[in-house]
Coordinates of all heavy atoms in Angstrom, one line a residue:
I211 N -3.0 -7.7 1.3 CA -3.4 -6.7 2.3 C -2.4 -6.7 3.5 O -2.1 -5.6 4.1 CB -4.8 -6.9 2.8 CG1 -5.8 -6.6 1.7 CG2 -5.1 -6.1 4.0 CD1 -7.2 -6.9 2.0
N212 N -1.8 -7.8 3.8 CA -0.9 -7.9 4.9 C 0.4 -7.1 4.6 O 1.1 -7.4 3.7 CB -0.5 -9.3 5.2 CG 0.2 -9.5 6.5 OD1 0.5 -8.6 7.2 ND2 0.5 -10.8 6.8
P213 N 0.6 -6.0 5.4 CA 1.8 -5.1 5.2 C 3.1 -5.9 5.4 O 4.1 -5.4 4.9 CB 1.6 -4.0 6.1 CG 0.6 -4.4 7.1 CD -0.2 -5.5 6.5
V214 N 3.1 -6.9 6.2 CA 4.4 -7.7 6.4 C 4.9 -8.3 5.1 O 6.1 -8.4 4.9 CB 4.1 -8.7 7.5 CG1 5.4 -9.6 7.6 CG2 3.8 -8.1 8.8
N215 N 3.9 -8.7 4.2 CA 4.3 -9.3 3.0 C 4.7 -8.4 1.9 O 5.0 -8.8 0.8 CB 3.2 -10.2 2.5 CG 2.9 -11.3 3.5 OD1 3.8 -11.8 4.1 ND2 1.7 -11.7 3.6
L216 N 4.6 -7.1 2.1 CA 4.9 -6.1 1.1 C 6.3 -6.2 0.5 O 6.5 -6.2 -0.7 CB 4.6 -4.7 1.6 CG 4.6 -3.6 0.6 CD1 3.6 -3.8 -0.5 CD2 4.4 -2.2 1.2
F217 N 7.3 -6.3 1.4 CA 8.7 -6.4 0.9 C 9.3 -7.8 1.2 O 10.5 -7.9 1.2 CB 9.5 -5.3 1.5 CG 9.0 -3.9 1.1 CD1 8.3 -3.1 2.0 CD2 9.2 -3.5 -0.2 CE1 7.9 -1.9 1.6 CE2 8.8 -2.2 -0.5 CZ 8.1 -1.4 0.4
K218 N 8.5 -8.8 1.5 CA 9.0 -10.1 1.8 C 9.6 -10.8 0.5 O 8.9 -10.8 -0.5 CB 7.8 -10.9 2.4 CG 8.2 -12.3 2.8 CD 7.0 -13.0 3.4 CE 7.4 -14.5 3.8 NZ 6.2 -15.2 4.2
K219 N 10.7 -11.4 0.7 CA 11.3 -12.1 -0.5 C 10.7 -13.5 -0.5 O 10.8 -14.2 0.4 CB 12.8 -12.2 -0.2 CG 13.6 -12.8 -1.4 CD 15.1 -12.8 -1.1 CE 15.8 -13.5 -2.3 NZ 17.2 -13.5 -2.1
E220 N 10.2 -13.8 -1.7 CA 9.6 -15.1 -1.9 C 10.6 -16.0 -2.5 O 11.4 -15.6 -3.4 CB 8.4 -15.0 -2.8 CG 7.3 -14.1 -2.1 CD 6.0 -14.0 -2.9 OE1 5.8 -14.9 -3.8 OE2 5.3 -13.1 -2.7
K221 N 10.6 -17.3 -2.2 CA 11.6 -18.2 -2.6 C 11.3 -18.6 -4.1 O 10.2 -18.6 -4.6 CB 11.6 -19.4 -1.7 CG 10.3 -20.2 -1.6 CD 10.4 -21.3 -0.6 CE 9.0 -21.9 -0.4 NZ 9.0 -23.0 0.5
D222 N 12.4 -19.0 -4.8 CA 12.3 -19.5 -6.1 C 11.7 -18.6 -7.1 O 11.0 -19.0 -8.0 CB 11.6 -20.9 -6.2 CG 12.3 -21.9 -5.3 OD1 13.5 -21.8 -5.1 OD2 11.6 -22.9 -4.9
E223 N 12.0 -17.3 -7.0 CA 11.5 -16.3 -7.9 C 12.7 -15.5 -8.5 O 13.6 -15.2 -7.8 CB 10.5 -15.3 -7.3 CG 9.2 -15.9 -6.9 CD 8.2 -14.9 -6.5 OE1 8.6 -13.7 -6.3 OE2 7.1 -15.2 -6.3
G224 N 12.6 -15.2 -9.8 CA 13.6 -14.3 -10.4 C 13.4 -12.9 -10.0 O 12.3 -12.5 -9.5
I225 N 14.3 -12.0 -10.3 CA 14.2 -10.6 -10.0 C 13.0 -10.0 -10.7 O 12.3 -9.2 -10.2 CB 15.5 -9.9 -10.3 CG1 15.4 -8.4 -9.8 CG2 15.8 -9.9 -11.8 CD1 15.4 -8.3 -8.3
N226 N 12.8 -10.4 -12.0 CA 11.7 -9.8 -12.7 C 10.3 -10.1 -12.1 O 9.4 -9.2 -12.0 CB 11.7 -10.2 -14.2 CG 12.9 -9.7 -14.9 OD1 13.4 -8.6 -14.6 ND2 13.3 -10.4 -16.0
L227 N 10.1 -11.3 -11.7 CA 8.9 -11.7 -11.1 C 8.7 -11.1 -9.7 O 7.6 -10.7 -9.4 CB 8.9 -13.3 -11.0 CG 7.5 -13.9 -10.6 CD1 6.5 -13.5 -11.6 CD2 7.7 -15.4 -10.5
R228 N 9.8 -10.9 -9.0 CA 9.7 -10.3 -7.7 C 9.3 -8.8 -7.8 O 8.4 -8.3 -7.1 CB 11.0 -10.4 -6.9 CG 11.2 -11.6 -6.2 CD 12.3 -11.6 -5.2 NE 13.4 -10.7 -5.6 CZ 14.6 -10.8 -5.3 NH1 15.0 -11.8 -4.6 NH2 15.5 -10.0 -5.8
V229 N 9.9 -8.1 -8.8 CA 9.5 -6.7 -9.1 C 8.1 -6.6 -9.5 O 7.4 -5.7 -9.1 CB 10.5 -6.1 -10.1 CG1 10.0 -4.8 -10.6 CG2 11.9 -6.0 -9.6
M230 N 7.6 -7.5 -10.4 CA 6.2 -7.5 -10.8 C 5.3 -7.7 -9.6 O 4.3 -7.0 -9.5 CB 6.0 -8.6 -11.8 CG 4.6 -8.6 -12.4 SD 4.2 -9.9 -13.4 CE 4.1 -11.3 -12.3
H231 N 5.6 -8.6 -8.8 CA 4.7 -8.8 -7.6 C 4.8 -7.6 -6.7 O 3.7 -7.3 -6.1 CB 5.1 -10.1 -6.8 CG 4.7 -11.4 -7.5 ND1 3.3 -11.7 -7.6 CD2 5.3 -12.4 -8.1 CE1 3.2 -12.8 -8.2 NE2 4.4 -13.3 -8.5
G232 N 5.9 -7.0 -6.5 CA 6.0 -5.8 -5.7 C 5.2 -4.7 -6.2 O 4.5 -4.0 -5.4
I233 N 5.2 -4.5 -7.5 CA 4.4 -3.4 -8.1 C 3.0 -3.7 -8.0 O 2.2 -2.8 -7.7 CB 4.9 -3.2 -9.6 CG1 6.3 -2.6 -9.7 CG2 3.9 -2.3 -10.3 CD1 6.8 -2.6 -11.0
N234 N 2.6 -5.0 -8.1 CA 1.2 -5.3 -8.0 C 0.7 -5.1 -6.5 O -0.4 -4.6 -6.3 CB 1.0 -6.8 -8.3 CG 0.9 -7.1 -9.8 OD1 0.8 -6.2 -10.6 ND2 1.1 -8.3 -10.2
K235 N 1.5 -5.4 -5.6 CA 1.2 -5.1 -4.2 C 1.0 -3.7 -3.9 O 0.1 -3.2 -3.2 CB 2.2 -5.8 -3.2 CG 2.2 -7.3 -3.2 CD 3.3 -7.9 -2.4 CE 3.4 -9.4 -2.6 NZ 4.4 -9.9 -1.8
I236 N 1.9 -2.9 -4.4 CA 1.8 -1.4 -4.2 C 0.6 -0.8 -4.9 O -0.1 0.0 -4.3 CB 3.1 -0.7 -4.7 CG1 4.3 -1.1 -3.8 CG2 3.0 0.8 -4.7 CD1 5.7 -0.7 -4.3
S237 N 0.3 -1.3 -6.1 CA -0.8 -0.7 -6.8 C -2.1 -1.2 -6.1 O -3.1 -0.4 -6.1 CB -0.8 -1.2 -8.2 OG -1.0 -2.6 -8.4
F238 N -2.2 -2.4 -5.5 CA -3.3 -2.8 -4.8 C -3.6 -1.9 -3.6 O -4.7 -1.5 -3.3 CB -3.1 -4.3 -4.4 CG -4.3 -4.9 -3.7 CD1 -5.4 -5.3 -4.4 CD2 -4.4 -5.0 -2.3 CE1 -6.5 -5.8 -3.8 CE2 -5.5 -5.6 -1.7 CZ -6.6 -6.0 -2.5
W239 N -2.5 -1.6 -2.8 CA -2.6 -0.7 -1.7 C -3.1 0.7 -2.1 O -3.9 1.3 -1.4 CB -1.3 -0.7 -0.9 CG -1.2 -1.7 0.1 CD1 -0.5 -2.8 0.1 CD2 -1.9 -1.7 1.4 NE1 -0.7 -3.6 1.2 CE2 -1.6 -2.9 2.0 CE3 -2.8 -0.9 2.0 CZ2 -2.0 -3.2 3.3 CZ3 -3.3 -1.2 3.2 CH2 -2.9 -2.4 3.9
M240 N -2.6 1.2 -3.2 CA -3.0 2.5 -3.7 C -4.5 2.5 -4.0 O -5.2 3.4 -3.7 CB -2.2 2.9 -4.9 CG -0.7 3.3 -4.5 SD 0.2 3.8 -5.9 CE -0.6 5.2 -6.5
F241 N -4.9 1.4 -4.6 CA -6.3 1.3 -5.0 C -7.2 1.3 -3.7 O -8.2 2.0 -3.7 CB -6.6 0.0 -5.8 CG -8.0 -0.3 -6.0 CD1 -8.7 0.5 -7.0 CD2 -8.7 -1.3 -5.3 CE1 -10.1 0.2 -7.2 CE2 -10.0 -1.5 -5.6 CZ -10.7 -0.8 -6.5
I242 N -6.8 0.5 -2.7 CA -7.6 0.5 -1.5 C -7.6 1.8 -0.8 O -8.7 2.3 -0.3 CB -7.0 -0.6 -0.5 CG1 -7.2 -2.0 -1.1 CG2 -7.6 -0.6 0.9 CD1 -8.6 -2.5 -1.3
L243 N -6.5 2.5 -0.7 CA -6.4 3.8 -0.1 C -7.3 4.9 -0.9 O -8.0 5.7 -0.2 CB -5.0 4.3 0.0 CG -4.1 3.6 1.0 CD1 -2.7 4.0 0.9 CD2 -4.7 3.7 2.4
C244 N -7.2 4.8 -2.2 CA -8.0 5.8 -3.0 C -9.5 5.5 -2.8 O -10.3 6.4 -2.8 CB -7.6 5.7 -4.4 SG -6.0 6.4 -4.7
L245 N -9.9 4.2 -2.8 CA -11.3 3.8 -2.6 C -11.8 4.3 -1.2 O -12.9 4.8 -1.1 CB -11.4 2.3 -2.7 CG -12.8 1.7 -2.8 CD1 -13.5 2.2 -4.1 CD2 -12.7 0.2 -2.8
A246 N -10.9 4.1 -0.2 CA -11.3 4.6 1.1 C -11.5 6.1 1.1 O -12.4 6.7 1.7 CB -10.3 4.2 2.1
Y247 N -10.6 6.8 0.4 CA -10.7 8.3 0.3 C -12.0 8.7 -0.4 O -12.7 9.6 0.1 CB -9.5 8.9 -0.4 CG -9.5 10.3 -0.6 CD1 -9.4 11.2 0.5 CD2 -9.7 10.9 -1.8 CE1 -9.4 12.6 0.3 CE2 -9.8 12.2 -2.0 CZ -9.6 13.1 -0.9 OH -9.7 14.4 -1.1
L248 N -12.3 8.0 -1.4 CA -13.5 8.4 -2.2 C -14.8 8.1 -1.4 O -15.8 8.9 -1.4 CB -13.6 7.6 -3.5 CG -12.6 8.1 -4.6 CD1 -12.7 7.2 -5.8 CD2 -12.9 9.5 -5.0
I249 N -14.8 7.0 -0.6 CA -15.9 6.7 0.2 C -16.0 7.7 1.4 O -17.1 8.2 1.7 CB -15.8 5.3 0.8 CG1 -16.0 4.3 -0.3 CG2 -16.8 5.0 2.0 CD1 -15.7 2.8 0.1
Y250 N -14.9 8.2 1.9 CA -14.9 9.2 2.9 C -15.5 10.5 2.4 O -16.3 11.2 3.0 CB -13.4 9.4 3.4 CG -13.3 10.6 4.3 CD1 -13.7 10.6 5.7 CD2 -12.7 11.8 3.9 CE1 -13.6 11.6 6.5 CE2 -12.6 12.9 4.7 CZ -13.0 12.8 6.0 OH -12.9 13.9 6.8
R251 N -15.0 10.9 1.2 CA -15.6 12.1 0.6 C -17.1 12.0 0.3 O -17.8 13.0 0.4 CB -14.8 12.5 -0.7 CG -13.4 13.0 -0.3 CD -12.8 13.9 -1.3 NE -13.7 14.8 -1.9 CZ -13.5 15.5 -3.0 NH1 -12.3 15.4 -3.6 NH2 -14.3 16.4 -3.4
W252 N -17.5 10.8 -0.1 CA -18.9 10.6 -0.5 C -19.8 10.7 0.8 O -20.9 11.2 0.8 CB -19.1 9.3 -1.1 CG -20.5 9.0 -1.5 CD1 -21.2 9.6 -2.5 CD2 -21.3 7.9 -1.1 NE1 -22.4 9.0 -2.6 CE2 -22.5 8.0 -1.7 CE3 -21.0 6.9 -0.1 CZ2 -23.5 7.1 -1.5 CZ3 -22.1 6.0 0.1 CH2 -23.3 6.1 -0.6

């Protein structure tokens, strides 16, 4: 949830693992925003 960690480079990770974690963080934020929108509409 912490936006500071969204693009933070983590140590001892390969590029594939960093990309996977980045995509997971973005998808988590999209889920939270869509959930908030659905609750607002409800």
